[in-house]
Structures are given as structure tokens and as C-alpha cells.
Amino acid sequence: FIISMTTIWFNESIVPKAANSAQMVFRSYRDKQTPTIKKNINFTEYDSKGLPARVINVGEIDQGLLKSVTVAEYEEGALVRLVRSLSGRWNPAGGWEFYNGVMHNFPPKDKKKVIVIEFEKEYIDIQLNPLDLTKRKKNVEEMSAKELKGRIALQKKLGKDFTHDLVNYHMKYSVPFACLIFSILGASVGLRPHRSSSALGVGISLIIILVYYILIALGMGLGLAHIVPAIVAAWVPNIVIALLGLGFLKKVSTQ
């Protein structure tokens, strides 16, 4: 149990930083000439019914400044507001600030009416940070469970499939606890009296490890295919090995 908890701490505090540092060093040499300006950023927010709630296009992001921004907002799939501005910024307190733009409002009850408002500064409550969307997508190894959970929440908000990340999120806890599960199995197998214990023990260990990795692959496949919930997919190998170990332990205790 102590080893399992230590592994979780190690995976949360050391492994992500080390993996990220390695990637940064690699990319710094590979992408020396890559410009920092990001162009043509597009993304869509969805409502609880899966309908588009907001479609955003940013022509360019240069050092935090948004240029040529267009925001289309919908209600029940119908366009209700269109905002265009020359520039804008993300407010750390939450939301976007737009500068020098035009807003078109389309009243749902009067389809022929359009309200046009020019503004020098306008605030819209958009909780997505555009700078996060332009960042390099980290590998799972570079992320802690907290970071991965945040990415899952963002993908859910954008209407993207987050199943793969959700399975990996639960794997960050299930794999370390394999130490505890295997200790139960190891104790039950080690307590059984038999001849040629060393050779038999090695053989049994190899078979169990092979079965464990097969179960991991099977669980991830079932999870990604949406056949079983992600948490079940991640913990299936541990559950099977634990039941096997407890069965052996019960059998040994009755002998």
C-alpha cells in the first residue's frame, strides 16, 4: 500500500515535470524557427443538448492579443448574436474583452429585426481561455491527474470525445495500486507448498504478468469503444487479479 501511494505521488509530482522538460528540450531544438504567432483559431462550445452554443473564430493571437475576432452565439440552434471586433483580450478574472467592434442582435421573436451596436469596449462571459487552446497538447505522461481532469472538462465543454483521456485519468490511480493487488496474489502463491518452488514461482509470475497486460489492453479497448465505463475499464485488471489472489489465499488458508 505504501509503494502504491508513493507511486501515485511520484507520478503526480515528478514524472509529469520530467516528461514535459524532456519534450520542451526536444521541441526547442526542432522548432527553433517556428513563429510564436498563432493564426486561424476556431472552436465551438456546445450546450447541454449537444447543440452549438457559441462559435468563435480568432484570426490571430500575438502575445496574448486577439485580432480579428468573430463570435456567433446561438440559442436552441438559432443565431441570436454576432460579435465582430478588431481586437480583444482574455481577462484572467474570467471572460473576454473586445475592442472596437460591432454587435448584431437577432431577436428570436422578430426574425426581420436586427439591432446593430457599435462599441469601443465590450465584455462577454466566455470561460474558455483562448491561450489554452493554442498551447501544445501534452502527452498523458506529461500531465498530472489534476491537469488531465482539467483537459477532460475543457473537451467536454467543447463537445469533443474525452473517453481516451478519461480512461487514462483512472489508469493513473489503478496502475499504482497494482502493487497492492500483486502483493496479495504473491503472498497467496508463495504460501503454497510445492516442489521446485523457484522455477514454478517464476513461471506463475510470468503468466500472471502476461494476463495482467492482456487485461489492460482489453479494458482500454472496451472503455474506448464505450462498452464499459472508463473507471471500470481502468480497474478491470486489478479487480480480476485481486479476485484471483483472494481465491488462492482462501484456498491456502483452508489447507
Side-chain angles (χ1 to χ4, degrees):
F1 178 77
I2 292 173
I3 292 173
S4 295
M5 297 305 296
T6 302
T7 303
I8 291 175
W9 172 81
F10 197 83
N11 287 340
E12 287 295 291
S13 59
I14 297 176
V15 173
K17 293 179 181 178
N20 184 249
S21 296
Q23 282 292 328
M24 293 297 290
V25 170
F26 171 74
R27 290 173 183 274
S28 66
Y29 284 99
R30 191 191 69 177
D31 304 331
K32 280 185 177 180
Q33 304 303 320
T34 302
T36 57
I37 298 175
K38 305 294 182 180
K39 295 185 177 182
N40 295 323
I41 297 95
N42 299 279
F43 54 96
T44 304
E45 285 187 83
Y46 293 86
D47 60 19
S48 58
K49 297 180 181 179
L51 297 172
R54 186 180 285 123
V55 178
I56 303 174
N57 174 267
V58 181
E60 185 179 292
I61 299 181
D62 185 9
Q63 297 181 350
L65 180 65
L66 314 178
K67 298 180 180 180
S68 300
V69 185
T70 302
V71 179
E73 296 185 326
Y74 298 82
E75 289 183 5
E76 300 293 333
L79 180 65
V80 294
R81 182 164 66 165
L82 182 66
V83 181
R84 293 180 297 168
S85 68
L86 294 177
S87 61
R89 283 192 181 276
W90 161 256
N91 189 334
W96 291 24
E97 291 180 356
F98 297 96
Y99 312 117
N100 302 316
V102 180
M103 181 187 304
H104 295 76
N105 291 297
F106 306 95
K109 296 181 180 180
D110 190 351
K111 296 183 179 180
K112 295 182 180 181
K113 187 177 181 180
V114 179
I115 302 173
V116 181
I117 302 173
E118 293 186 24
F119 59 85
E120 292 184 2
K121 183 178 180 180
E122 181 69 24
Y123 172 85
I124 296 181
D125 185 19
I126 303 176
Q127 295 302 314
L128 294 174
N129 186 344
L131 302 181
D132 290 340
L133 299 171
T134 61
K135 291 179 180 177
R136 176 182 65 85
K137 185 178 180 180
K138 291 183 178 180
N139 298 322
V140 174
E141 293 79 12
E142 299 176 69
M143 304 180 72
S144 64
K146 184 179 179 180
E147 291 176 316
L148 193 56
K149 189 174 182 180
R151 188 165 80 180
I152 291 169
L154 176 61
Q155 290 176 331
K156 187 175 182 180
K157 193 173 184 65
L158 294 175
K160 296 182 179 180
D161 185 8
F162 53 88
T163 306
H164 187 271
D165 280 345
L166 189 59
V167 173
N168 281 312
Y169 171 78
H170 291 295
M171 291 284 287
K172 282 185 174 289
Y173 294 102
S174 66
V175 172
F177 270 95
C179 300
L180 179 61
I181 302 302
F182 272 91
S183 68
I184 297 173
L185 182 61
S188 62
V189 173
L191 289 172
R192 298 185 66 186
H194 45 66
R195 298 177 182 178
S196 304
S197 58
S198 297
L200 185 59
V202 171
I204 292 174
S205 298
L206 292 175
I207 292 172
I208 291 172
I209 291 171
L210 178 63
V211 170
Y212 181 76
Y213 278 104
I214 291 174
L215 289 172
I216 287 180
L218 180 62
M220 288 195 71
L222 293 173
L224 295 176
H226 303 279
I227 297 176
V228 299
I231 188 170
V232 175
W235 284 89
V236 158
N238 286 359
I239 293 172
V240 173
I241 299 299
L243 291 175
L244 187 62
L246 291 173
F248 277 139
L249 199 60
K250 183 178 180 181
K251 187 175 181 181
V252 170
S253 64
T254 58
Q255 291 179 352

